[in-house]
Amino acid sequence: MDLSVFHRRNKSQVNEKDIIVTSNFATQLFFSYFKELVGKEVTVELKNDLAIRGTLHSVDQYLNIKLENTRVVDQDKYPHMLSVRNCFIRGSVVRYVLLPQDGVDIDILHDATRREARGG
Amino acid sequence: MVLGLYAFADIAADGAPHLNSAAGEELVRVERAAAVALGSRAPEPPGTLFITTRRVIWVSEVEKGKAYAVDFLAVSLHAVSRDPEAYSSPCIYTQIETEDGSDEESDESDSEVNVETELSKVTEMRIIPSDPCQLDGLFEAFSHCAELNPDPNAESDEENGWAHRDEGDEDMTGGSDAECEFSDVNPIGQTDEHDITHAVVELQINDQRFEDAEEAEHETHGNGH
């Protein structure tokens, strides 16, 4: 198991209580979990540092992510992406997905990690 | 796996690209009169866009023999861009993953002409259809084909992004939040490779390292530099 879930701290651009889930391994677990978050607002940070906030439209088994109503977090750095409304992000280039606190059920996540640990 | 944009030469007399049918490559969508703009360059005169199950190929209608291709494996992101403030024409905006500076296959491209290496460094490509109504259809075709091309080595990729320096940095202390969050996971038991406690320790190290990485944007660390 290499599940990395932790509170994000000391970052001004996001709510202090936002939770970060990295997509290292446990892809199946994340897939199941992210499916529950469809319709919620998330921020996807890419490995090239681009961070895009938007409504999670869909996610697939490879953790490809479709966002709607997107906006780039750092608009000064990426002005040309201002206009993008919907966006398909390749799962393999995702570094983090930041979830809103109210979109996270810690109990479900704990259960999922326990199942993952037993299954492993 | 080929990253980046590359010149495409295998074009039939009728202007259609020869596909790698032996590897199961099939044509998904053809879009005529589509301009393409690489990086911040001006759009090229219109050509024909071929979306296949493996890659995107653009063939110039003006300049014979001029064609570009990019594998879906290298298309990090695609999106519909309609705001005239961001770009003058409605387009499909794509980001392209390129090889890092030091790749082992570079000796081959060294002998190629300069244009080739320039192409391989392009990180953004816009496709501008003559009819903006085609954008949504193009976006769906891109999405469909991206899903057909998952990373063949996703796990090792991820490892490069994360798990290295850990052993050498044992003096790092973890974030107490993570410890608190997972404290009741400890008693569960063991997985095949390592126990949960170890995983929690890794978790804290990851947490610490993540914060380092963030801070490195505005302050330089002595460590390693």
Side-chain angles (χ1 to χ4, degrees):
Chain A
M1 187 188 77
D2 192 314
L3 175 69
S4 306
V5 181
F6 43 84
H7 283 283
R8 184 164 199 168
R9 297 185 303 270
N10 307 325
K11 287 293 287 180
S12 54
Q13 72 193 48
V14 289
N15 187 317
E16 196 176 78
K17 288 290 186 182
D18 277 1
I19 285 179
I20 293 173
V21 179
T22 70
S23 61
N24 290 24
F25 299 98
T27 303
Q28 190 57 41
L29 188 154
F30 283 131
F31 174 48
S32 313
Y33 192 73
F34 285 168
K35 278 194 295 190
E36 305 297 317
L37 293 166
V38 166
K40 295 241 167 44
E41 179 102 331
V42 298
T43 301
V44 179
E45 186 176 317
L46 276 56
K47 289 175 183 171
N48 67 4
D49 296 333
L50 176 66
I52 305 169
R53 193 158 180 82
T55 307
L56 184 63
H57 171 275
S58 56
V59 60
D60 70 9
Q61 58 179 314
Y62 308 111
L63 302 182
N64 294 323
I65 290 173
K66 266 192 200 177
L67 295 181
E68 287 184 334
N69 303 314
T70 56
R71 60 183 184 278
V72 174
V73 173
D74 186 353
Q75 296 192 335
D76 292 337
K77 205 171 163 189
Y78 304 96
H80 51 271
M81 287 206 55
L82 274 173
S83 65
V84 166
R85 293 284 154 71
N86 56 346
C87 184
F88 179 107
I89 302 164
R90 194 173 169 76
S92 59
V93 301
V94 173
R95 182 185 287 147
Y96 306 115
V97 176
L98 281 73
L99 317 172
Q101 176 72 12
D102 64 5
V104 177
D105 188 325
I106 297 289
D107 291 334
I108 291 178
L109 211 50
H110 277 177
D111 284 348
T113 52
R114 287 188 188 108
R115 276 198 300 274
E116 180 83 7
R118 288 198 195 100
Chain B
M1 160 171 170
V2 183
L3 291 176
L5 199 68
Y6 54 91
F8 186 86
D10 200 2
I11 303 166
D14 63 355
H18 284 126
L19 304 185
N20 188 358
S21 49
E25 183 176 23
E26 290 174 24
L27 201 56
V28 173
R29 188 181 170 112
V30 178
E31 189 70 29
R32 302 209 176 270
V36 66
L38 306 182
S40 54
R41 299 178 213 174
E44 313 247 0
T48 306
L49 188 76
F50 299 87
I51 300 176
T52 83
T53 49
R54 300 172 65 89
R55 55 194 160 172
V56 179
I57 305 168
W58 179 85
V59 181
S60 174
E61 287 167 5
V62 177
E63 202 172 324
K64 197 168 170 59
K66 185 180 201 177
Y68 307 132
V70 59
D71 291 1
F72 272 107
L73 286 171
V75 178
S76 308
L77 173 159
H78 63 265
V80 176
S81 168
R82 285 198 173 93
D83 189 339
E85 285 199 13
Y87 198 73
S88 53
S89 313
C91 64
I92 296 285
Y93 170 84
T94 64
Q95 284 192 354
I96 298 173
E97 190 177 357
T98 57
E99 297 280 358
D100 292 334
S102 59
D103 58 303
E104 64 279 351
E105 293 170 48
S106 64
D107 47 306
E108 193 188 340
S109 59
D110 280 350
S111 57
E112 301 284 348
V113 283
N114 211 8
V115 180
E116 190 83 350
T117 46
E118 287 301 308
L119 271 185
S120 69
K121 289 176 185 163
V122 170
T123 57
E124 291 178 320
M125 178 175 69
R126 289 180 176 82
I127 294 153
I128 307 140
S130 54
D131 175 12
C133 297
Q134 302 303 317
L135 283 174
D136 286 334
L138 284 171
F139 179 84
E140 289 310 321
F142 264 78
S143 303
H144 171 68
C145 295
E147 284 162 8
L148 294 176
N149 290 273
D151 260 30
N153 56 347
E155 288 210 341
S156 60
D157 257 351
E158 294 290 345
E159 204 166 353
N160 285 336
W162 272 99
H164 284 207
R165 251 176 38 187
D166 286 8
E167 291 86 348
D169 284 332
E170 286 175 3
D171 57 329
M172 284 186 167
T173 51
S176 54
D177 278 3
E179 186 175 32
C180 171
E181 209 58 69
F182 278 80
S183 55
D184 60 342
V185 180
N186 285 345
I188 290 174
Q190 301 195 337
T191 59
D192 285 344
E193 287 92 20
H194 43 268
D195 59 61
I196 294 294
T197 310
H198 182 228
V200 171
V201 171
E202 278 189 343
L203 197 64
Q204 294 172 10
I205 291 171
N206 281 347
D207 189 1
Q208 185 73 27
R209 287 177 57 226
F210 165 69
E211 296 201 341
D212 273 358
E214 291 286 326
E215 285 161 14
E217 285 171 10
H218 28 82
E219 67 176 89
T220 318
H221 278 257
N223 185 11
H225 279 290

